[in-house]
């Protein structure tokens, strides 16, 4: 069984900070810390989509992450619906690859690339931690 299955179905909450409820960024931070040992000090406001995008774009921590073409286990996946990236998940290499992320109503889900398209998510980019 893959380590990511323990998170599937955990509930979404707009002010969530795990381990029992998350929003997309708190889930990404939680898994990065507890599974990969990476502490991410970026804490965007989950209720303001534009502020989320600007917080990630402008934070000095972003310099520790590099854009990559092909994702590896644990890489950040920046997603968007429409013009701006507003959502984050992480790449999981299980079952041909999928994005593990936390969404309203469903909570934590793992979606392959066709599943993301059905849900109208577009991948803005894959980001790898370079330290």
């Amino acid at each position: 069984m893959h380590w990511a299955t323990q998170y599937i179905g955990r509930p979404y909450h707009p002010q969530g900070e795990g381990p029992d409820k998350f929003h997309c960024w708190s889930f990404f931070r939680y898994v990065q810390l507890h599974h990969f040992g990476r502490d991410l000090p970026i804490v965007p406001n989950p209720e303001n989509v534009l502020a989320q995008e600007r917080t990630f774009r402008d934070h000095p921590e972003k310099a520790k992450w590099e854009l990559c073409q092909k994702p590896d286990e644990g890489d950040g996946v920046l997603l968007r619906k429409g013009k701006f990236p507003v959502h984050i998940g992480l790449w999981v290499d299980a079952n041909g690859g999928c994005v593990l992320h936390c969404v309203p109503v469903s909570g934590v889900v793992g979606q392959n690339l066709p599943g993301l398209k059905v849900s109208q998510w577009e991948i803005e980019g894959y980001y790898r931690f370079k330290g």
Side-chain angles (χ1 to χ4, degrees):
M1 181 165 59
H2 193 275
W3 63 265
T5 59
Q6 67 184 303
Y7 297 110
I8 301 294
R10 297 223 185 156
Y12 173 89
H13 191 278
Q15 285 84 35
E17 267 305 321
D20 297 321
K21 54 189 175 183
F22 300 99
H23 52 69
C24 71
W25 188 258
S26 66
F27 177 68
F28 182 73
R29 288 182 66 220
Y30 185 88
V31 174
Q32 289 295 321
L33 179 61
H34 295 327
H35 190 75
F36 296 100
R38 303 173 189 143
D39 188 17
L40 303 174
I42 305 171
V43 184
N45 177 353
E47 295 179 10
N48 184 328
V49 172
L50 189 54
Q52 286 181 45
E53 188 270 333
R54 288 180 179 156
T55 300
F56 181 72
R57 180 193 68 203
D58 299 337
H59 199 283
E61 182 73 14
K62 187 178 179 198
K64 295 179 182 176
W65 294 78
E66 64 185 356
L67 186 62
C68 57
Q69 294 299 312
K70 186 176 184 308
D72 285 335
E73 184 91 1
D75 286 350
V77 182
L78 199 56
L79 300 162
R80 64 183 165 86
K81 283 187 177 181
K83 188 175 179 180
F84 298 106
V86 296
H87 187 64
I88 192 157
L90 62 134
W91 187 258
V92 174
D93 280 336
N95 299 323
C98 69
V99 176
L100 190 65
H101 61 126
C102 190
V103 293
V105 180
S106 301
V108 178
V109 296
Q111 289 186 287
N112 61 18
L113 297 179
L116 288 170
K117 288 212 180 284
V118 168
S119 299
Q120 300 178 342
W121 288 112
E122 293 183 51
I123 294 175
E124 180 74 16
Y126 302 109
Y127 289 84
R128 182 161 304 137
F129 185 76
K130 62 181 181 176

